[in-house]
Amino acid sequence: MDPHTERLRKKYMDDPPEGISSEDIRHMSEDDLLDMDYFLNEDVEFDDEFGEEGFYLF
């Protein structure tokens, strides 16, 4: 396993997101764990690009 993925697994097992148990995280695949991390942190990366309403095409 990738050391980065294992660090993420430990991080989320120590402080699991709401609605997910440490046991759930222990049994997640690497892809599921990386997906969860991406979606939990995606707003941080894009905070300054779009307003509160989101992105709209007119």
Side-chain angles (χ1 to χ4, degrees), residues 7-57:
R7 281 192 301 266
L8 280 176
R9 188 178 309 277
K10 180 168 176 16
K11 171 187 167 184
Y12 288 119
M13 285 176 63
D14 291 343
D15 185 25
E18 186 176 336
I20 300 176
S21 71
S22 293
E23 191 67 25
D24 294 335
I25 293 169
R26 183 184 328 273
H27 295 290
M28 279 184 175
S29 70
E30 283 188 48
D31 288 338
D32 289 341
L33 187 63
L34 292 172
D35 287 345
M36 179 183 74
D37 181 62
Y38 174 80
F39 287 112
L40 287 173
N41 296 299
E42 74 176 330
D43 290 338
V44 173
E45 184 176 335
F46 300 110
D47 273 347
D48 295 335
E49 291 186 27
F50 303 113
E52 291 290 321
E53 300 83 31
F55 181 76
Y56 298 98
L57 294 175

